Amino acid sequence: MATTRRDYYEILGLERSASEAEVKRAFRQLARELHPDVSDAPDAGERFREVVEAYEVLSKSETRGLYDRFGHAGLSSGGFRPTPFDFGSLADIFSAFFGDDVFGVATGRRRARGADVAAEIEIELEEAASGVRRAVLTEVALVCEECGGDGIEPGHSATTCEDCGGSGRLQHVSRTGFGEFIRSQGCPRCGGTGRIVDHPCRRCDGAGRVLEERSLEIEIPPGIHDGQRIRLSGEGHAGALGGQAGDLYVLVRIRPHERLVREGDDVYSTVDLTMTQAALGAQVKVATIDGDVELDFELGTQPGEIRVLRGRGMPVLQGFGRGDHRVLVNVAMPRQLTEEQRRLLGEFEQTADEETYRPDEGFFEKLKSAFR
């Protein structure tokens, strides 16, 4: 019998506009409530699996975008399969998703990958066109130099936890009419580490890592788009017990330009001509990504005309060539006239004929070309 799968946002109790931080916070809260280590509810296990699957999808931009557009069917056709798992300790679950105790969760004596770090940087449109190197300030967990990452004060050593025998886990066996039920949980005495540290490192308080503020210079490539992220492998939080460091993800934001608008690799702008400039022709400065350029406008330039500057747009990211710069002509009409100006315009109108205002038969073709 077919069943209707629940909405992932509903499972986590989130709006569809929820941020990455809100998704992570909702998962942590529900995981603490529903994991068999802490919940006696009969449906806790199934609900916990739903929460983990929802987090797997919504915490990654690729799977979240696919789900937002096409739902569960889109995920299935895209090859997504929930990660199978058994019920380890709650600490192990958090370690798998977040990278050990940077988020306040102690794990067993195993190497654990460090958590990723997110940062954001703002640049100008011109910098996005040319590429730029910028310093990013982050706070990351680094291996403690005093204890080498093991959390023990130099000159001392740890002892094996007697309660769990160094495994960091305790198992409870319950016998029922249906057989044996084995429940595993983290050892409360050693906190799941499998060892007892009587002399923790004074510098890191036994954590093995310390938070430090670090400035890292990154290279932003030409043609980058607003909202794209740059990944720097191994520049995140240090891993536990020699585990691999996480990554640094830098979100690039491009400030709105005063006179230019970007669409893909093309750039759009307007140029204002006075009525007489449009009628008599003029040379006018126009702002581009590369600076101001002089453009010649012929006699009789019409409002709405498009001037296409080939190859003067944004560079193609990780490709070749550049987009175009399209300039839309706007003709400013006078709002106030002196008596002399009225008289002169009146004389002009009396001498005008059909040829003076002959329509431009190619106007609509020019307009359409602006959006090709």
Side-chain angles (χ1 to χ4, degrees):
M1 177 178 177
T3 58
T4 302
R5 301 184 66 182
R6 291 181 63 196
D7 178 70
Y8 288 139
Y9 290 97
E10 177 188 343
I11 291 172
L12 295 181
L14 297 170
E15 299 292 334
R16 301 189 80 84
S17 58
S19 66
E20 291 182 15
E22 290 172 327
V23 171
K24 182 180 294 183
R25 187 161 52 248
F27 169 72
R28 287 173 56 82
Q29 179 178 345
L30 289 170
R32 286 195 177 98
E33 295 174 3
L34 299 175
H35 192 275
D37 279 359
V38 294
S39 177
D40 295 325
D43 63 343
E46 184 59 34
R47 291 179 62 194
F48 184 82
R49 285 189 176 91
E50 284 186 331
V51 167
V52 171
E53 182 177 332
Y55 179 77
E56 275 195 294
V57 171
L58 301 185
S59 63
K60 301 179 180 67
S61 58
E62 296 82 3
T63 51
R64 182 174 180 176
L66 197 62
Y67 177 71
D68 286 344
R69 290 193 298 272
F70 306 111
H72 292 286
L75 290 173
S76 299
S77 61
F80 171 78
R81 296 291 182 274
T83 301
F85 72 97
D86 56 5
F87 287 109
S89 71
L90 186 58
D92 289 337
I93 295 294
F94 282 173
S95 176
F97 284 110
F98 303 126
D100 201 54
D101 64 345
V102 169
F103 294 94
V105 180
T107 65
R109 290 190 65 192
R110 66 184 69 179
R111 289 187 176 184
R113 180 183 182 276
D116 295 332
V117 177
E120 184 173 325
I121 193 170
E122 272 194 340
I123 62 174
E124 304 294 342
L125 184 61
E126 291 86 352
E127 292 175 321
S130 62
V132 65
R133 294 185 67 87
R134 295 287 292 274
V136 176
L137 196 63
T138 59
E139 188 176 52
V140 295
L142 303 177
V143 174
C144 176
E145 296 179 356
E146 188 71 20
C147 64
D150 64 7
I152 305 171
E153 184 71 17
H156 298 274
S157 60
T159 58
T160 301
C161 176
E162 296 179 356
D163 289 6
C164 64
S167 68
R169 304 176 66 79
L170 297 177
Q171 289 188 339
H172 303 278
V173 180
S174 303
R175 291 178 174 83
T176 69
F178 300 98
E180 292 185 345
F181 178 76
I182 301 176
R183 180 178 177 183
S184 177
Q185 68 179 61
C187 176
R189 182 181 180 188
C190 64
T193 64
R195 62 180 186 169
I196 303 298
V197 178
D198 294 320
H199 300 279
C201 174
R202 286 174 291 183
R203 185 184 179 201
C204 64
D205 293 327
R209 289 172 291 175
V210 292
L211 284 175
E212 292 187 4
E213 196 172 69
R214 181 179 61 179
S215 179
L216 189 66
E217 191 172 72
I218 66 169
E219 185 170 349
I220 301 175
I224 194 165
H225 293 260
D226 179 61
Q228 286 189 309
R229 296 194 303 174
I230 298 175
R231 174 180 174 232
L232 299 177
S233 180
E235 297 295 348
H237 293 300
L241 300 177
Q244 179 184 0
D247 300 331
L248 170 63
Y249 289 89
V250 181
L251 177 66
V252 178
R253 290 296 186 188
I254 302 176
R255 296 187 188 96
H257 196 278
E258 184 180 359
R259 291 179 289 179
L260 306 177
V261 176
R262 178 183 185 177
E263 287 290 340
D265 294 325
D266 290 339
V267 173
Y268 293 77
S269 68
T270 61
V271 61
D272 293 324
L273 302 181
T274 65
M275 178 185 69
T276 51
Q277 285 177 320
L280 302 177
Q283 189 177 72
V284 179
K285 282 186 178 181
V286 175
T288 72
I289 287 293
D290 303 312
D292 292 344
V293 299
E294 296 276 358
L295 287 187
D296 291 321
F297 293 91
E298 299 178 354
L299 180 149
T301 298
Q302 300 296 305
E305 282 192 14
I306 305 293
R307 291 288 297 275
V308 181
L309 308 180
R310 300 293 181 189
R312 300 299 291 266
M314 296 293 292
V316 178
L317 181 63
Q318 296 179 343
F320 300 96
R322 295 175 59 170
D324 300 328
H325 184 155
R326 302 176 188 275
V327 182
L328 174 66
V329 176
N330 176 49
V331 177
M333 301 301 293
R335 294 182 179 274
Q336 292 183 335
L337 295 172
T338 65
E339 288 299 325
E340 178 65 13
Q341 290 168 336
R342 288 174 181 272
R343 183 185 67 77
L344 293 173
L345 285 176
E347 291 179 0
F348 167 77
E349 186 62 25
Q350 290 178 356
T351 61
D353 55 21
E354 293 183 358
E355 186 63 22
T356 305
Y357 294 104
R358 178 172 53 83
D360 185 351
E361 296 178 356
F363 172 73
F364 289 105
E365 287 300 320
K366 293 178 181 178
L367 186 60
K368 286 190 292 184
S369 70
F371 304 101
R372 289 173 184 168

